[in-house]
Amino acid sequence: MSPSFLNFKEIRRRSRNSFRTERSADGSSEASNGTAPTTGSLTPPSFSSHQSDPALNVHVNNNQSTSPTPPATAPSRPAPHPYPIGNQNRYSVSGMTGLGSPMPNGRGPNLPVSQYSPRITSIQDNSWVYQKVLLVYGTVGEPSQQSLDGTVTVGRQDDSFPPISWPVSNSQFKALVYMTPGANRLRFDFASPKLANSGSTNPIHASYLTIHMLPTTNAPPLQLAILLAKDSPATYDAVPTRIKREGNGLETAVRKFRMAAYLWQAFTAEQMWRNKFGRRVFRFEEEWTTGSANQRDREQGTQRSEARIHIIRTNHTLAELRDLNKAQQNRDANQKDALFGIAADAVRDYFKPLPGQRLYVSVLLLDSHWDTSSKTVTAHAALGGGVGDLQLAIFGSHCLQSYPTSFEEVVPAFSDCTPTDTNYVANDCNEAGSSWEAANIGIGAHLHETGHLFGLPHRESGVMLRDYVTLNRTFIVREAYSTRTRSKGGLVSQEDECTWHRLDCLRFRSHPCFRLPNDPAQSPDDSVQAWPVGGGEVMITASSGIMYVEIFGEDDDVCHKWIEYLGEGGSGNGSGIQRQITLNEQELRKELGEDKKKRRLKISVRSHGGGFLDIDDFHQLCSKQSSFKLPMGLVPGVPVLAQTAYRGKTLGASKLEGSEPHEVVFTSAVKQGIVLSRIVVYHGLALDGLEFVYDDNSSQLFGKKGGKAGGDVFEMGKYNSEVSQYFYCS
């Protein structure tokens, strides 16, 4: 049925006086003007159970909408519409109130859009996100025709967050946007001294964007903590001018660490988006406190929900933490990992997790100190990993003075060329020769350790190598002079930015901390198995589906080659997922270099459920060492089997002391008319043996009859079509 305003029968019935003289506009005040094409709706679209992210299929390079009935899209920058002035039809630019802006009530004439209105290229109007801070970037004008400098000011129509200005260089801009749950109606104003009306109270170069934010509460949070000695003064290293300007106490440290975490989140969500996994990202535990993301909140005492920073004191003294023998950067230290253990004990004692509760905690060691006499950073270690159910990352505060405390300070912090004064603060690894480079090292290296917290190994590139020294490029459009490279800097292209490696994003896709609200429930996946099938082939199975396979040549410390099994669309979203694949040794070796094709081959299999299986020697698994011919007479009454049996990858993996090999071929599998009737489990505190009893009272024993006398009996056949598929023992 056509819309009501196209119902001509109704029009004929109405009197002439009943018509409005102004044309009614369908778009509301949050409609996009001069931004990317509209996609999505005012409420989240519905999805099937196997789908995850509403934004997965709305990548910047893919104009297809995820909504079942996508709205009509408009061009990125519509051509100006003639607007009548008096008796003349012409284009009007200067003097028009709120050019390109929606009317207060969402209705009114369509006004021309300035050709200098910011064009958002990173996200589409009415998209859905799940993070606190969103990275937005785009262009002004036509960069290929005219290079413009100036500022883009990002404001909210409800003024719940103050307008923040971001630099425009060579017509490029990047901005951070603070997200609140629900619809975030944003306005982007461009100003340049070269353009008319710029900087006036009536900016005319404006565009509008609505972003919907939905918090994720079905994923465990990444906890943020500051660790102090029991007698710590709660200060961090800073030069006197910094201390005078902003202080170096605990309150400032909390604001800086929180802002660094927001940058981690914005960077990671953008990287996941670029890898077509949607803007899925870790969340933080939050608390209701004085806002710290902007200066106005601090001045006016505005309360809002911010990432919580836990303050944890250890049972150790300041002298104990700053012991040179515990300093990771001290070559002669004999307790380099001691700080990790101290932090782990303090975190457990503070959070008091329940049995089986997994914690993810990233810790800032506030008592780190640059010892000028030994030229060593004490009370600092850059470490990350797991200790039981605790996933922990620790990093020092020796670069903290250079961190931004709010949105207004992000660009200045990543552009500050003030030389590092080693009389007061450290030049970490001689890569922090200026203030902005120190911010890079501190924020980026701590993110690297947080990557280890999430289970990431080192990579050939990206954050998990040392590419975080260019983390600043994600948030600025022009880089300052670098003491590390002795280069004058310049315009930043996307190809020059820091990244998470593709394999890191694949790991994040199935990580519990990266779950989205409409992701299906997921249980830990221990089902990844490998089965040699002869002919140099191995069959891999996983109940949740195989996600990717990493291929390692001998002596490879990091993975250079891998095979993905993401299904249709490449998002791992459920359609076309493979739960069984077959790998051929020769095909895998083709992925390696010539010098490694004939050497040991290792693979690592990852499932969509987060499970994994490492095969250290692929050739050995699919060789004769993993198979044997079933001997004659093994099963009474069956003279010849003429079959080959294959040992799975996990067979005998425990290798317990005193264990003996046992081989059993079920009589019911090779002799017709015999049915397995019950299984007797012999055990004490551990499993001793299994006895398989058939309906003719014959039996086969796997292991031995130990432990409880008579064992425990499991009767088969209680339920129709009951079949024993496999046994899993741990």
Side-chain angles (χ1 to χ4, degrees), residues 464-506:
M464 298 312 294
L465 185 62
R466 282 188 66 86
D467 289 356
Y468 52 75
V469 293
T470 59
L471 181 66
N472 61 305
R473 295 176 181 174
T474 299
F475 308 104
I476 60 175
V477 290
R478 183 173 290 277
E479 188 172 82
Y481 173 79
S482 171
T483 62
R484 178 179 60 87
T485 61
R486 299 187 182 278
S487 60
K488 64 179 182 179
L491 195 68
V492 174
S493 66
Q494 192 171 108
E495 292 74 21
D496 298 326
E497 293 178 8
C498 178
T499 65
W500 282 112
H501 193 278
R502 171 69 176 177
L503 288 172
D504 298 333
C505 294
L506 286 168

Side-chain angles (χ1 to χ4, degrees), residues 204-342:
I204 63 173
H205 312 300
S207 57
Y208 296 82
L209 185 69
T210 297
I211 302 297
H212 304 273
M213 187 272 206
L214 182 64
T216 54
T217 56
N218 62 329
L222 172 63
Q223 304 282 3
L224 305 173
I226 291 179
L227 192 71
L228 305 95
K230 63 181 180 181
D231 58 346
S232 170
T235 59
Y236 57 90
D237 286 356
V239 298
T241 54
R242 284 269 190 178
I243 297 175
K244 183 178 180 180
R245 183 169 76 244
E246 62 184 15
N248 68 332
L250 185 59
E251 182 181 351
T252 306
V254 167
R255 294 200 302 266
K256 286 178 176 285
F257 187 27
R258 180 182 290 137
M259 193 65 228
Y262 285 162
L263 295 178
W264 295 349
Q265 191 185 59
F267 166 75
T268 302
E270 177 63 24
Q271 289 294 307
M272 292 296 284
W273 171 257
R274 293 181 188 180
N275 280 273
K276 298 187 178 181
F277 294 129
R279 286 185 170 83
R280 60 175 67 236
V281 69
F282 50 83
R283 71 178 183 96
F284 306 113
E285 181 185 350
E286 297 190 0
E287 63 178 343
W288 191 253
T289 185
T290 302
S292 65
N294 66 83
Q295 295 173 358
R296 189 179 74 179
D297 282 358
R298 298 204 298 270
E299 294 169 357
Q300 299 181 358
T302 303
Q303 299 281 301
R304 64 174 75 242
S305 183
E306 299 279 17
R308 182 179 181 181
I309 309 296
H310 300 272
I311 309 302
I312 304 175
R313 286 192 178 268
T314 72
N315 295 322
H316 295 261
T317 65
L318 189 65
E320 290 173 332
L321 295 185
R322 290 181 176 177
D323 184 355
L324 279 173
N325 281 324
K326 295 184 178 73
Q328 189 184 52
Q329 295 182 356
N330 179 14
R331 295 181 179 179
D332 299 325
N334 53 21
Q335 302 178 55
K336 291 186 177 183
D337 297 336
L339 291 174
F340 191 84
I342 291 172

